[in-house]
Amino acid sequence: MQVAHDGAALAELVLSPQRDAPLVIVSQHPDHPEDMIDAGRIARGVETAADVWLIENGALTWALEERLGARQRGVFGNAGRVYPPGERWDGLPPRLVRGWGPGRAAEMLIEDALSSGPAVTVLETPQASEEQEVVARFVGTVAEGCAIVELPDGRQASLHAEDVVPGVPLEWVFGRGHAIPGSVERGSGRFRPRTTRTDPRPLKDYGSGRIVLALVVSSAPDRAVLRLWPGLDREVGRGDVSSNPLDAVDQLLAPGEVVAARLLSDTGGVRLSVLDVDEDEPVSTAPALVEGGVPWLELGRDAPGHGGRAAGQGSSAAVRGAREGHGGDGTAAAKTAPGRAASGQADGPVPHASAGRPAGRAALRDALRTIEVLGALAGQGRSAAAEAARLRKTLESLEDEHARTVGERDGLEAEVDRLSTERDRLEADRDRLRAELHAMRQTMRTKTRQLGRSGLPELGRLFPTAEAALHYELYLAWAKVIAPEDKSTVVLPAPSAYTVGAGFLAALGDAHVAGKRAKALDAVVRVLVEDQRYAKPLDLHRVREGEGGDDPHRVRADDGAVLWRASVEKNTPAALRLHFWRLPGGRVELDGVHAHDDGL
């Protein structure tokens, strides 16, 4: 970081076509130290990618603007600009970073400096090709879908998400300093990576039943789409998210959120469930999307683009551009030679320069004195005095106009400061509400899992017995399972038409079953309605006394009832089975829900 003592000389450096690095100019207003931007922080952030200069508001910034030729090109007050190198800056004014608060302003200037580095060129050789093969290192993201990489010679180039994994933030693919092979396009400075995409295999890499990370792609009241990695999406229904059929999925899962889910084997592939995920279960590390990359998902790091400062910057920039940050006039120090100055250190604010007035009013005073002298010498004192009086009135009018402008400027600055404070308060409220919403969703998912395990405990307060509550749950399950056009013919038998065995309710409360209570109740409904279309997925069969195919069926001695078994789940470790007795007259007695071969 270097300290400017001559505004005009610093302007010559800005305009120099030989300058080969971005130039960051930070001005500081000594009367407002609380708003000063930390130039040292910027220097540490850009390292060798840009030159950082510190200038004091006042005579030095007036001289800088006068040499640059337009106020919109200078720096004043507590603010900063980044000027791209050489001919890449054709006189169009870069944005003035001001009014964002010292911390945010420093970050914006670092981003501008890193994104306006010199274009990468390929040295001319007799066999020069259109691209140069290099190994670059990942520096960081400067805009959505765009990042900066550093080349072996210290220059920088741009890296775009569309050239790696389209739609995925680059910081989800590479870590800082990651070595990336590729090539640089001549002239454009665009880096084309030569990365190898990974080919994860869910069941092989994770294993069925493991807890994995997934990105919520979309959500609706009855379903959501989760993404294990780009190209592998899985839809989850309400039953995979909540055991309560009245819950809305989009209240529990929000697009862009990274959630933990259980990976399960299913016919022809895999499926996901967030219903039975305990908070203390270990979560498998997400795979990298390219060889040697970083895990592409992290719990607690949601997708970008859901907030942050973006909209409205244009209008507020127009207000900030109208602010006046100068004090009085002063005489600039002697001009130094253009080009890069020797590196210097600044441990605090720049010492205050002498005050002064704009050059136009000073010129009017000089003209007034000249006319008075000439009038006296020529014997035309009367006309010279009249001209002097006219000029004096003009000068007084200019000074009044200047005072009015300063008053308006102060009013605008006060309004911008008020709006900046209000913006910071609203951003803090937004971040707080976003964190509260995230915590509420997590709490809702936890309560939903607990609710599923407890079997809708609040129903116990609405019915005289647990069995009566079960009949109500079966009615809700029937309403969900049976299609609307079949409800008039495929009816649920009255509670008096079937029997709830003594151990059935206890089996539903078992820890392994509780998380899948809704599936068990669905299977019960399919058995009770006795319709082949709805019973087909259950693989109904009678239970034998042994494992042999010729072993006799299990029959209860006292009443001749036959034991049947129905599949609640398939292709899942310890898959659940529904057991029920069918009496000689056809009546069904619900016996229990157990893991395969348990409870027999």
Side-chain angles (χ1 to χ4, degrees):
M1 183 182 68
Q2 304 175 73
V3 180
H5 301 289
D6 187 336
L10 183 57
E12 293 291 343
L13 182 57
V14 171
L15 299 173
S16 173
Q18 284 77 38
R19 181 167 55 84
D20 60 357
L23 189 64
V24 185
I25 299 181
V26 177
S27 62
Q28 292 184 342
H29 200 304
D31 294 337
H32 301 284
E34 70 280 1
D35 295 328
M36 288 183 179
I37 301 173
D38 187 354
R41 175 181 175 183
I42 299 172
R44 293 189 297 272
V46 301
E47 296 179 347
T48 60
D51 295 331
V52 181
W53 283 79
L54 185 63
I55 187 171
E56 185 186 32
N57 183 76
L60 297 179
T61 52
W62 274 112
L64 173 68
E65 290 178 1
E66 184 176 359
R67 178 63 186 88
L68 291 178
R71 179 169 181 75
Q72 293 79 9
R73 300 179 184 179
V75 185
F76 52 88
N78 286 311
R81 285 192 204 267
V82 176
Y83 300 88
E87 297 178 355
R88 294 186 61 192
W89 181 54
D90 56 4
L92 295 175
R95 69 169 176 175
L96 180 69
V97 177
R98 187 182 189 197
W100 291 97
R104 176 56 181 154
E107 294 175 359
M108 294 172 68
L109 290 169
I110 292 173
E111 294 172 359
D112 287 355
L114 293 178
S115 62
S116 61
V120 177
T121 58
V122 180
L123 296 178
E124 293 291 344
T125 63
Q127 294 82 26
S129 62
E130 291 300 318
E131 297 183 347
Q132 179 187 12
E133 296 290 333
V134 295
V135 175
R137 295 198 175 273
F138 187 78
V139 174
T141 301
V142 295
E144 183 176 355
C146 181
I148 293 296
V149 296
E150 185 175 283
L151 305 178
D153 60 1
R155 294 176 179 268
Q156 295 178 340
S158 61
L159 173 65
H160 296 261
E162 63 195 53
D163 295 330
V164 185
V165 184
V168 176
L170 288 165
E171 62 269 24
W172 289 18
V173 182
F174 304 111
R176 185 176 178 86
H178 185 95
I180 311 172
S183 60
V184 180
E185 291 183 348
R186 295 187 60 185
S188 70
R190 181 165 180 161
F191 180 73
R192 301 283 188 179
R194 305 240 194 279
T195 53
T196 302
R197 290 282 297 273
T198 57
D199 184 22
R201 299 180 180 180
L203 296 178
K204 180 179 178 181
D205 296 344
Y206 291 124
S208 180
R210 297 292 297 275
I211 305 300
V212 300
L213 294 178
L215 177 67
V216 182
V217 178
S218 62
S219 61
D222 60 340
R223 64 178 60 88
V225 175
L226 304 184
R227 177 167 296 167
L228 274 173
W229 50 76
L232 183 57
D233 295 354
R234 286 293 181 267
E235 183 176 280
V236 294
R238 184 183 283 111
D240 295 314
V241 180
S242 171
S243 59
N244 185 354
L246 303 180
D247 278 344
V249 175
D250 53 3
Q251 292 181 351
L252 300 173
L253 300 175
E257 189 177 12
V258 177
V259 299
R262 189 177 299 278
L263 179 71
L264 299 171
S265 174
D266 200 359
T267 304
V270 298
R271 64 183 183 89
L272 297 172
S273 172
V274 298
L275 178 64
D276 55 347
V277 178
D278 292 325
E279 294 181 5
D280 56 352
E281 288 190 79
V283 180
S284 301
T285 302
L289 300 183
V290 299
E291 290 187 0
V294 298
W296 88 287
L297 292 180
E298 293 180 9
L299 200 60
R301 182 188 67 184
D302 297 336
H306 297 270
R309 187 183 296 117
Q313 288 187 6
S315 58
S316 62
V319 175
R320 293 193 300 274
R323 294 175 62 180
E324 299 286 343
H326 290 286
D329 289 330
T331 303
K335 182 179 296 186
T336 58
R340 291 191 177 184
S343 176
Q345 300 294 329
D347 298 327
V350 181
H352 200 303
S354 59
R357 297 182 180 273
R361 286 177 283 147
L364 284 173
R365 280 201 181 87
D366 291 341
L368 176 61
R369 288 194 296 269
T370 300
I371 290 174
E372 289 174 345
V373 173
L374 291 176
L377 292 176
Q380 300 175 356
R382 185 174 301 173
S383 59
E387 180 65 13
R390 187 186 66 79
L391 290 175
R392 185 173 291 106
K393 289 182 179 180
T394 301
L395 178 60
E396 291 173 353
S397 175
L398 286 173
E399 288 181 338
D400 291 341
E401 178 68 16
H402 173 69
R404 185 186 64 79
T405 303
V406 169
E408 292 178 353
R409 179 205 65 195
D410 293 342
L412 287 173
E413 286 183 342
E415 178 65 12
V416 170
D417 291 340
R418 185 189 68 78
L419 292 175
S420 297
T421 302
E422 179 67 11
R423 181 203 63 225
D424 293 340
R425 185 188 66 78
L426 292 174
E427 287 180 349
D429 289 345
R430 178 205 64 201
D431 295 340
R432 176 180 57 80
L433 291 174
R434 182 180 291 131
E436 291 178 358
L437 180 61
H438 186 85
M440 288 175 59
R441 289 198 186 101
Q442 180 63 34
T443 301
M444 290 176 64
R445 290 196 289 266
T446 301
K447 294 295 184 183
T448 297
R449 290 194 292 269
Q450 295 172 350
L451 188 63
R453 294 189 175 95
S454 59
L456 298 177
E458 67 272 14
L459 292 179
R461 298 191 295 270
L462 304 178
F463 295 92
T465 65
E467 183 173 329
L470 174 65
H471 293 318
Y472 176 72
E473 287 187 78
L474 289 175
Y475 179 77
L476 291 179
W478 172 83
K480 184 177 69 172
V481 171
I482 305 304
E485 62 271 16
D486 294 336
K487 281 187 168 61
S488 61
T489 57
V490 184
V491 298
L492 181 70
S496 59
Y498 59 93
T499 302
V500 179
F504 186 75
L505 290 173
L508 277 182
D510 180 76
H512 178 66
V513 177
K516 302 173 182 179
R517 184 185 186 94
K519 294 182 180 180
L521 296 177
D522 287 356
V524 172
V525 168
R526 294 175 185 273
V527 169
L528 292 177
V529 297
E530 296 188 348
D531 187 293
Q532 182 59 30
R533 294 172 299 168
Y534 290 98
K536 186 176 181 180
L538 300 179
D539 293 336
L540 289 171
H541 60 277
R542 289 175 289 180
V543 178
R544 297 184 181 274
E545 291 289 351
E547 298 181 358
D550 297 330
D551 290 338
H553 296 114
R554 181 169 296 186
V555 179
R556 196 161 54 189
D558 56 352
D559 58 3
V562 178
L563 183 62
W564 286 73
R565 178 161 53 200
S567 297
V568 177
E569 297 179 303
K570 297 179 182 179
N571 302 317
T572 300
L576 294 182
R577 300 290 187 262
L578 169 67
H579 296 158
F580 64 94
W581 296 94
R582 188 176 294 278
L583 280 66
R587 185 183 182 90
V588 170
E589 178 183 329
L590 302 175
D591 179 72
V593 181
H594 310 281
H596 186 60
D597 293 337
D598 286 350
L600 296 180

